[in-house]
Amino acid sequence: MEKKTLYVVLTNINMFELNHKGVVIMTKNIVDTSLPKKHDTEDKIFNHCCVEIEEFAEFLTKFKDIGGTFHKRFLSDDYRDLDLDNVFLRKNGDLVHIEHHSIMSGEWMRRDFQYLTTLHRASGRFIHPFIFNTGEIPKSTIEFASPNSFYNPSFINTQEIEGSVRLNNIKYKIDNNQKINAFDVSDLIWMPKYRWDREIESVVVELVDIYNNIIVDENLLEVLRKSLVLWAGKYVSEEGNIEKVIRGAQEVIDLKKDIVSARIDGMLCRAEKRGMEAGMEAGMEAGIDKGKLETARNMLERGFALEDICDVTGLCEEDILKG
């Protein structure tokens, strides 16, 4: 008897089993607590955009007929708890699969290709694959594809976008009292990852004044503030600049743990960079450990709960508290 592969779509409270045509054939009440949790700062901002900005998928893909989201969590013979970044449904029935990467590699591309095939076999729909890359531009996209080069997604590389041009365009609209739309907001959110001839920290700090003076829908403004605080957590190292950013987003009081994560994310990135520049693996590991400890103690001094700091850093209370 021919073996049939089962695909299961996961939601928060229900599990739907689909056949190869994407038809629901069974439902169960289930909550799978083993689903992966994301702690990467850029992933958090990306997820905020996808969930809270209706036009964000159009901003990335230029498709004007995206009608909503589609299932993105699956179980199959090949994967346990397969969690795609985002899948959207076009009005013609096609799917748009968008994966976010801050680092590109052959391994990640092969994984994306397998995600795509799983999604296609589970849904039976035509799929438009996109990769939103906020890291370095890959030298060759073909070398990252499947062995037979069947996987050829559309790349959206933020490093190909001239940040100063986009920022000046938005400043012009603000100065001339023109309406700021969801596309402008999406641009502002991802400004720190565009191409600049200056440090990201200075870009983030400059955005504070714009965020404080911009007139935009309150829901979009909230996403802007969330993103600004997270960017600051990762890239702003001077205490005066940190205070300026947080004062500009006082309403965002539910992100303390995310801010801790972002601070540690940035500290680890800087420590890893220093270690790589030193060319010593042991030195890199030592730098990362030191970065964790410095950030943890800094957060403790700023009033963050010790339990939350331990949870994010993986450090024990004794290590953080000892002199």
Side-chain angles (χ1 to χ4, degrees):
M1 180 180 294
E2 181 184 359
K3 180 182 177 182
K4 294 184 177 180
T5 301
L6 296 179
Y7 297 90
V8 179
V9 181
L10 297 177
T11 66
N12 290 334
I13 58 174
N14 293 309
M15 180 170 69
F16 303 95
E17 184 175 319
L18 307 182
N19 65 13
H20 68 287
K21 293 183 178 180
V23 179
V24 177
I25 59 175
M26 179 186 71
T27 63
K28 296 179 183 178
N29 290 326
I30 184 173
V31 176
D32 192 331
T33 58
S34 65
L35 290 172
K37 296 181 179 179
K38 296 183 177 179
H39 297 287
D40 181 82
T41 303
E42 291 178 26
D43 270 348
K44 284 183 179 294
I45 296 172
F46 177 74
N47 288 334
H48 280 312
C49 290
C50 289
V51 173
E52 301 176 47
I53 301 179
E54 182 179 351
E55 299 87 349
F56 187 64
E58 181 183 343
F59 170 77
L60 293 181
T61 66
K62 311 307 179 189
F63 289 146
K64 299 182 181 299
D65 63 341
I66 293 178
T69 58
F70 192 77
H71 304 299
K72 67 189 186 74
R73 289 185 171 182
F74 298 87
L75 300 179
S76 75
D77 291 344
D78 298 325
Y79 286 97
R80 171 69 180 167
D81 297 347
L82 175 63
D83 185 11
L84 285 68
D85 279 352
N86 273 283
V87 183
F88 297 90
L89 180 64
R90 297 184 67 184
K91 292 181 180 179
N92 65 1
D94 292 354
L95 298 181
V96 179
H97 173 211
I98 305 175
E99 286 291 314
H100 166 251
H101 290 302
S102 54
I103 298 175
M104 294 302 308
S105 70
E107 180 182 356
W108 285 112
M109 286 289 289
R110 286 187 289 273
R111 183 210 64 171
D112 291 344
F113 175 65
Q114 290 170 318
Y115 280 11
L116 181 73
T117 56
T118 298
L119 176 61
H120 173 67
R121 293 176 66 185
S123 66
R125 299 169 184 263
F126 184 84
I127 302 168
H128 304 268
F130 287 82
I131 291 179
F132 181 50
N133 174 37
T134 56
E136 296 296 323
I137 301 174
K139 295 180 180 178
S140 171
T141 57
I142 296 298
E143 69 183 59
F144 290 147
S146 65
N148 294 316
S149 296
F150 292 143
Y151 183 49
N152 188 25
S154 298
F155 274 80
I156 307 155
N157 296 307
T158 57
Q159 287 291 305
E160 292 179 335
I161 302 173
E162 189 62 53
S164 59
V165 174
R166 293 290 181 93
L167 184 57
N168 286 336
N169 288 341
I170 292 175
K171 284 181 176 179
Y172 178 86
K173 294 185 73 170
I174 294 174
D175 292 341
N176 290 275
N177 297 316
Q178 296 181 14
K179 184 178 180 180
I180 301 299
N181 57 38
F183 288 175
D184 298 322
V185 168
S186 299
D187 251 339
L188 281 171
I189 287 173
W190 290 101
M191 284 281 173
K193 301 306 298 183
Y194 291 171
R195 185 171 65 247
W196 296 91
D197 57 3
R198 54 191 171 111
E199 295 296 322
I200 295 179
E201 177 165 351
S202 68
V203 175
V204 174
V205 173
E206 182 177 357
L207 289 174
V208 175
D209 292 331
I210 293 177
Y211 282 32
N212 289 339
N213 294 292
I214 195 172
I215 299 176
V216 70
D217 177 84
E218 188 62 34
N219 292 330
L220 292 175
L221 183 59
E222 183 178 356
V223 185
L224 278 170
R225 288 168 172 161
K226 288 179 182 178
S227 303
L228 180 65
V229 168
L230 292 173
W231 286 132
K234 182 168 183 175
Y235 289 113
V236 177
S237 56
E238 293 185 15
E239 289 298 319
N241 287 337
I242 293 172
E243 292 291 345
K244 182 177 181 180
V245 172
I246 292 182
R247 282 198 305 271
Q250 285 296 328
E251 292 84 352
V252 188
I253 59 176
D254 61 335
L255 292 178
K256 278 193 173 183
K257 192 170 182 178
D258 285 347
I259 296 171
V260 175
S261 300
R263 292 294 301 274
I264 293 171
D265 187 11
M267 184 68 77
L268 296 183
C269 288
R270 289 188 287 273
E272 183 176 355
K273 182 178 179 180
R274 289 195 300 269
M276 292 178 67
E277 289 174 350
M280 297 166 48
E281 183 175 348
M284 181 177 68
E285 292 175 357
I288 291 175
D289 289 340
K290 183 179 179 181
K292 280 187 180 181
L293 195 56
E294 288 177 353
T295 303
R297 289 174 179 169
N298 188 23
M299 293 297 98
L300 187 63
E301 290 176 0
R302 296 177 64 83
F304 291 97
L306 182 59
E307 181 181 354
D308 290 341
I309 299 174
C310 291
D311 182 48
V312 173
T313 62
L315 299 173
C316 66
E317 294 184 7
E318 181 182 357
D319 287 339
I320 297 173
L321 295 174
K322 69 183 180 182

